[in-house]
Amino acid sequence: MPSHVMNTYARQPIALERGEGAWVWDTQGRRYLDALSGIAVNTLGHAHPRLVAALTDQVGKLIHTSNLYQIPLQEQLADRLCALGGMDSAFFCNSGLEANEAAIKLARLHGHNKGIARPEIVVFERAFHGRSLATLSATGNPKVQKGFEPLVEGFVRVPLNDASALQAVADTHPDVVAVFIEAIQGEGGIQPAHADFLRAARALCDRHGWLLMIDEVQCGMGRTGKWFAHHWAEVKPDVIAMAKGLASGVPIGAILAHGAAATTFGPGQHGTTFGGNPLACRAALETLAVIEDDGLLANAHARGEQIQHALHHAFAGHEGVVEVRGQGLMIGIELDRPAGALVGRMLERGVLLNVTQERVIRVLPPLIFTQEQAEMLVQALVPAVLEFLQDAPAP
């Protein structure tokens, strides 16, 4: 029977029915180890008892009211996130795309408030910020932009981790108002922004009165072993965008802002219908509480070290493996050839993961991943990769 769902996804040939912890089961009853967690969304895995209890309680009280009224849970969540990020104010939305769109709008309004008629934002090669026209234009992937031209103007693109290129923009583009950067590029192939580069970007923004805006949509919420990935570089941005893992699967996004950026928006200048409703905020507050109570930041760091150490050891001397990189439970294994076929091979071995940038195997387990599950992942992944390298033609 033909599907009435638009053909916008190249889906795998399984349908997932239920989950528990880091495990999911398909409609045929087969079990899989979830090493993707809904693309960095299911922070607490599946059916976490505390999250289930909190959401059940909230559904029985109030799901949605709209932002026409005060929302106490939203106030609590804003307080909590601002404390974690060292920020002053929060705006809530529904997704990473919307968080990044809000950041772009905030930067433009900041520029207009400074008397800049056509403000520009520095963005980076291989970046991915979303699929709306503005976030698509900020994205550094021509393949996802193709067919949607004309793109939105006002973005200046430079290579990641190239401080001289950033300085050249400062020397030649007087209308720049912000630098917008992912602390770790997720869709771009698990490419970290180096700590010294983030510090150089912060210093340049300070000198020129620019906003430093950090996209933490995929790498934030404890995934790297700290609340935000930029915390490893010990920099303080003006704007942080987040979503994905914030509420363990309940749709929510947010931007946090500091200093002048915190008061840039006024009433009527930005808004949302669903964003920050009681259900989403309850899910986020419970997620943050479980991360803290169960020591999941330390666990993400330890499991990431365990997995990366095992992979480095297993792939040493294998020329087909270009690099193993990442931070915490955000890991990429780059091969020297297209690796999409590995997704199906791993399904056969009972593991969920995916491939990005054609050649980078992306591993994003839930933060509750255990030592035993990390060992199981490595034991399934290593032979699958080595067999694939033997079978697939070399470049």
Side-chain angles (χ1 to χ4, degrees):
M1 193 172 171
S3 172
H4 292 284
V5 177
M6 282 191 181
N7 185 28
T8 57
Y9 304 104
R11 289 190 163 108
Q12 296 300 314
I14 62 168
L16 301 177
E17 187 173 54
R18 64 184 180 92
E20 182 178 341
W23 297 99
V24 290
W25 285 260
D26 67 17
T27 53
Q28 305 303 310
R30 187 175 181 194
R31 189 178 75 159
Y32 302 85
L33 182 63
D34 187 357
L36 190 60
S37 56
I39 316 181
V41 168
N42 299 107
T43 300
L44 305 182
H46 304 277
H48 192 285
R50 281 184 56 176
L51 186 64
V52 170
L55 292 180
T56 301
D57 177 69
Q58 190 61 43
V59 166
K61 292 178 176 177
L62 196 63
I63 295 175
H64 178 77
T65 62
S66 96
N67 284 292
L68 295 174
Y69 314 103
Q70 295 179 13
I71 302 174
L73 288 169
Q74 190 179 111
E75 298 288 344
Q76 293 176 36
L77 182 57
D79 290 347
R80 186 76 180 99
L81 289 174
C82 286
L84 294 176
M87 298 283 111
D88 299 325
S89 66
F91 171 83
F92 293 103
C93 49
N94 307 287
S95 67
L97 176 159
E98 291 178 51
N100 288 336
E101 187 88 14
I104 291 168
K105 286 183 66 176
L106 188 151
R108 285 194 170 191
L109 184 58
H110 172 74
H112 283 285
N113 289 344
K114 294 173 64 176
I116 298 172
R118 301 177 72 83
E120 295 182 311
I121 299 171
V122 180
V123 292
F124 294 87
E125 294 175 2
R126 292 193 303 251
F128 184 89
H129 296 295
R131 296 181 186 272
S132 67
L133 280 176
T135 56
L136 185 70
S137 301
T139 287
N141 186 338
K143 288 186 177 180
V144 300
Q145 293 171 334
K146 185 174 176 59
F148 300 104
E149 300 87 353
L151 299 177
V152 175
E153 63 177 19
F155 297 102
V156 181
R157 195 172 312 282
V158 298
L160 183 66
N161 293 320
D162 188 338
S164 62
L166 204 55
Q167 180 61 57
V169 170
D171 295 339
T172 57
H173 288 72
D175 292 337
V176 166
V177 296
V179 173
F180 195 21
I181 185 170
E182 294 163 279
I184 303 175
Q185 292 181 341
E187 300 298 326
I190 316 299
Q191 298 284 353
H194 298 161
D196 57 354
F197 181 72
L198 285 174
R199 289 191 285 267
R202 175 71 275 175
L204 194 66
C205 288
D206 289 340
R207 285 198 298 273
H208 293 276
W210 301 349
L211 301 179
L212 178 61
M213 308 194 304
I214 299 187
D215 179 344
E216 291 267 359
V217 168
Q218 190 166 138
C219 58
M221 288 298 98
R223 179 147 297 277
T224 67
K226 291 186 182 289
W227 285 109
F228 299 105
H230 69 267
H231 282 172
W232 291 99
E234 298 182 341
V235 298
K236 185 169 185 173
D238 300 289
V239 178
I240 306 170
M242 69 191 71
K244 285 192 179 289
L246 177 54
S248 299
V250 175
I252 189 171
I255 60 168
L256 308 181
H258 167 70
T263 56
T264 296
F265 284 142
Q269 290 184 310
H270 197 53
T272 172
T273 297
F274 292 100
N277 71 23
L279 183 68
C281 289
R282 182 74 182 272
L285 284 164
E286 194 64 32
T287 297
L288 296 175
V290 173
I291 291 173
E292 189 166 61
D293 293 347
D294 292 358
L296 296 186
L297 296 182
N299 186 66
H301 179 68
R303 298 289 72 76
E305 291 282 300
Q306 176 190 351
I307 294 168
Q308 285 209 57
H309 177 78
L311 294 178
H312 280 293
H313 177 75
F315 294 139
H318 290 277
E319 294 183 358
V321 179
V322 176
E323 187 180 20
V324 177
R325 58 178 176 262
Q327 185 91 46
L329 290 175
M330 187 172 186
I331 299 168
I333 305 107
E334 183 176 353
L335 305 186
D336 66 353
R337 65 205 70 181
L342 264 168
V343 176
R345 293 191 181 207
M346 292 304 294
L347 277 180
E348 294 172 359
R349 293 172 180 264
V351 177
L352 305 184
L353 45 69
N354 81 335
V355 168
T356 186
Q357 289 291 304
E358 296 186 350
R359 300 184 177 198
V360 181
I361 304 162
R362 181 166 52 171
V363 179
L364 301 166
L367 270 57
I368 59 163
F369 225 47
T370 65
Q371 182 176 352
E372 180 184 10
Q373 288 165 345
E375 291 172 358
M376 294 174 67
L377 169 63
V378 172
Q379 290 168 5
L381 181 58
V382 169
V385 170
L386 295 180
E387 289 172 12
F388 171 77
L389 291 174
Q390 188 174 19
D391 297 343

